[in-house]
Amino acid sequence: MQPTYDVLIRHAEIVDGTGAARFDGDIGINGDRIARVGDLGGARGRQEIDARGLVAAPGFIDAHTHDDRVMLSAGDMLPKVSQGVTTVIGGNCGISLAPMPQPAPATITPPLDLLDSTGKWYRYARFGDYIQALQAQPAATNCAMLVGHSTLRVITMDDLSRPATAGEIAAMRGHVDEAMDSGAIGVSTGLAYAPAMAAPTEEIIDVCRPLASHGGLYCTHMRDEGDEIMASLEETFRIGRELGVPVVISHHKLAGVNNHGRSVQTLQRIREAMAQQPVCLDCYPYSASSTILTYKHAAGSSRTIVTWSRSLPQYAGRDLDDVVRDMGCSLEDAVARLLPAGAIYFRMDDADVQRILQFDDTMIGSDGLPHDEQPHPRLWGTFPRVLGHYGRGLGLFPLEKAVHKMSGLTAARFGLADRGVVREGAFADLAIFNAQTVDEAATFDKPIAPSIGIDTVLVNGAVVWRDGKASGLRPGRVLRRQAAA
């Protein structure tokens, strides 16, 4: 008898996520797993997908997101599935949606307001409550979640401008223990942000001590990504060494014109550290960053775009220089009037971006902000931009290398078992796309747009994107980390 699969993908050019050369073949899926890869010409599928002329690759894993809330508030995950993303890593930069004692405060401390400026979604007293909500109301994508150090400081301390006391550290450490027990994969820090700036290295180490016994990760938006970046790297490596855990350097960049070109120096130091301890890094493929609006960032950028403003929402999407002219005031006064607000900052050099992207161990993360009214285009365009602009266009790396950076490498570094590869027995998270046309459609002027060339996306064997639209299915799961033996 002819074998029958739940889903049969025929005539694909398979890029398997390991970095190995592509090959032609079919993919048979039963349930949530890939059952067979090869010549399945004699087989049948209850659902068949003709991938002739298309690439079938592992679904992309977004190594750095702020999707903590959107998975619950807009679980179709359109910005992600439309670009081939099947798994997101959330809770980055020290901010997570939980834990938050109830009732949540009326005013949310920046940058926690990047996830929710109203406080309505800060409704989970324990990290475990949040994980249960994600499991009870699945999104279209899988997720793996970090607990944020800044969130822990906000809920534990009465004064964020000082180091934590021994009692406060013990309380935060208790929250880390609970989060890890509940399914968190690690702790993130955002040491460049006000809630954590006063935290000394020793505080971070002490708060994060449960990571070692739980096999967790330390992921960090470092203290400085500009003039003092080398000192920040050393602090990061020290924290990883003293805890005995792997380190993830978030969205590695060189900010400010004085630091353009210094990626040669930072990457060399990262390479040296990798020989001594487990270290990895992610990067987004743009020379503009995005976060909360501050005068310091705006003053140091060649261009700033307002992404949202609670006090003056009419300025979302406008260049800050234009806003200053409209208001007839100084840059500093304009920023003060717009707050709380978010912004895009043009302050990196594309040569550094390219060098970091090309670095063998760099994973791809969007760092997208799904709740910005006029978001950075990286939210919708990161992964096709790597394949199109930087891969096919500039030739930074072959397709197999690009796919590896967005799938197999990320799954291995984050300990996501049986994800990020096309092989028999692996989970059926797949992106099917046209390698000749795949590219971003989102721009800084029109940042909300599905990508070009993404044909079909499957998560755990279920089609979540096809024919330019979401299927409505939400088969995503909360993934736990499987630490390396």
Side-chain angles (χ1 to χ4, degrees):
M1 291 179 60
Q2 293 178 330
T4 300
Y5 299 98
D6 293 335
V7 180
L8 180 56
I9 300 168
R10 296 190 184 275
H11 312 301
E13 187 174 46
I14 298 172
V15 177
D16 70 2
T18 68
R22 68 191 81 181
F23 59 93
D24 294 332
D26 309 317
I27 303 171
I29 300 167
N30 280 329
D32 60 0
R33 302 260 185 172
I34 296 171
R36 287 292 305 276
V37 178
D39 183 354
L40 304 179
R44 294 184 298 117
R46 296 179 181 88
Q47 179 180 9
E48 296 200 3
I49 298 170
D50 185 355
R52 196 183 308 269
L54 301 174
V55 166
F60 307 137
I61 301 172
D62 193 337
H64 188 102
T65 83
H66 295 284
D67 291 338
D68 307 46
R69 168 193 153 192
V70 75
M71 286 185 291
L72 296 168
S73 61
D76 51 14
M77 299 294 285
L78 285 180
K80 298 302 170 74
V81 298
S82 63
Q83 56 178 312
V85 170
T86 57
T87 298
V88 301
I89 310 296
N92 283 284
C93 295
I95 58 174
S96 56
L97 207 57
M100 181 62 68
Q102 299 301 299
T107 301
I108 301 300
T109 304
L112 276 64
D113 56 356
L114 291 174
L115 299 181
D116 174 27
S117 61
T118 68
K120 182 178 72 169
W121 287 93
Y122 278 100
R123 59 179 68 165
Y124 306 104
R126 299 165 60 256
F127 200 85
D129 299 334
Y130 172 61
I131 293 293
Q132 288 175 10
L134 290 171
Q135 292 170 332
Q137 185 183 318
T141 63
N142 303 309
C143 65
M145 305 305 298
L146 302 156
V147 62
H149 167 252
S150 290
T151 297
L152 299 184
R153 283 192 121 233
V154 165
I155 68 171
T156 303
M157 300 177 64
D158 59 4
D159 179 2
L160 296 172
S161 66
R162 59 169 173 80
T165 65
E168 289 163 344
I169 288 172
M172 288 190 275
R173 193 164 54 233
H175 286 300
V176 171
D177 216 12
E178 184 274 324
M180 297 302 296
D181 278 338
S182 300
I185 63 167
V187 173
S188 75
T189 57
L191 303 180
Y193 290 108
M197 282 180 179
T201 309
E202 291 73 18
E203 175 186 317
I204 308 301
I205 293 168
D206 283 345
V207 168
C208 291
R209 290 207 183 277
L211 290 180
S213 60
H214 288 281
L217 295 162
Y218 173 69
C219 303
T220 182
H221 177 148
M222 297 190 304
R223 206 173 289 276
D224 194 288
E225 296 174 316
D227 296 350
E228 301 301 320
I229 192 165
M230 298 307 293
S232 292
L233 284 171
E234 296 306 326
E235 178 184 40
T236 298
F237 302 147
R238 178 194 163 194
I239 291 168
R241 284 194 308 272
E242 296 208 17
L243 291 171
V245 302
V247 164
V248 181
I249 300 166
S250 294
H251 46 54
H252 185 42
K253 68 172 78 68
L254 285 303
V257 66
N258 292 339
N259 299 297
H260 291 176
R262 292 186 67 197
S263 58
V264 173
Q265 180 185 11
T266 61
L267 292 173
Q268 177 59 33
R269 182 65 190 97
I270 291 169
R271 185 180 288 108
E272 292 169 358
M274 285 175 169
Q276 305 297 322
Q277 63 184 104
V279 176
C280 56
L281 69 160
D282 65 68
C283 175
Y284 50 79
Y286 296 86
S287 57
S289 61
S290 184
T291 184
I292 54 174
L293 176 63
T294 68
Y295 170 68
K296 180 180 177 181
H297 280 357
S301 301
S302 61
R303 179 189 178 194
T304 300
I305 303 171
V306 179
T307 56
W308 62 275
S309 168
R310 284 201 72 189
S311 55
L312 297 169
Q314 67 269 28
Y315 287 116
R318 295 280 301 277
D319 270 41
L320 186 55
D321 285 348
D322 293 340
V323 176
V324 169
R325 282 192 289 271
D326 277 4
M327 290 183 175
C329 64
S330 68
L331 174 65
E332 189 168 8
D333 286 344
V335 169
R337 293 186 197 180
L338 289 164
L339 294 178
I344 294 167
Y345 303 102
F346 292 79
R347 55 193 185 127
M348 284 108 75
D349 180 28
D350 194 59
D352 285 316
V353 175
Q354 292 184 38
R355 194 175 293 116
I356 295 167
L357 286 172
Q358 278 188 301
F359 187 70
D360 278 349
D361 290 283
T362 299
M363 306 176 290
I364 305 302
S366 70
D367 198 14
L369 298 170
H371 309 299
D372 284 6
E373 186 176 337
Q374 290 291 311
H376 191 302
R378 65 192 183 187
L379 176 66
W380 288 79
T382 286
F383 292 83
R385 180 173 170 85
V386 170
L387 295 170
H389 176 64
Y390 285 107
R392 188 181 63 246
L394 298 184
L396 291 193
F397 24 60
L399 179 64
E400 291 88 346
K401 184 71 171 178
V403 168
H404 175 61
K405 286 174 167 291
M406 305 193 300
S407 57
L409 176 65
T410 317
R413 294 295 183 266
F414 281 92
L416 307 180
D418 294 333
R419 305 279 174 181
V421 289
V422 179
R423 62 161 168 77
E424 294 173 6
F427 287 100
D429 296 342
L430 298 164
I432 301 172
F433 59 90
N434 187 324
Q436 303 308 312
T437 64
V438 64
D439 215 334
E440 62 183 331
T443 66
F444 287 100
D445 291 331
K446 296 182 178 180
I448 299 174
S451 298
I452 299 162
I454 303 293
D455 183 90
T456 306
V457 181
L458 299 93
V459 175
N460 295 314
V463 173
V464 296
W465 178 265
R466 186 157 173 77
D467 298 326
K469 60 182 183 294
S471 70
L473 298 179
R474 296 185 179 183
R477 297 174 185 169
V478 179
L479 308 183
R480 287 182 177 245
R481 170 173 163 78
Q482 181 174 301

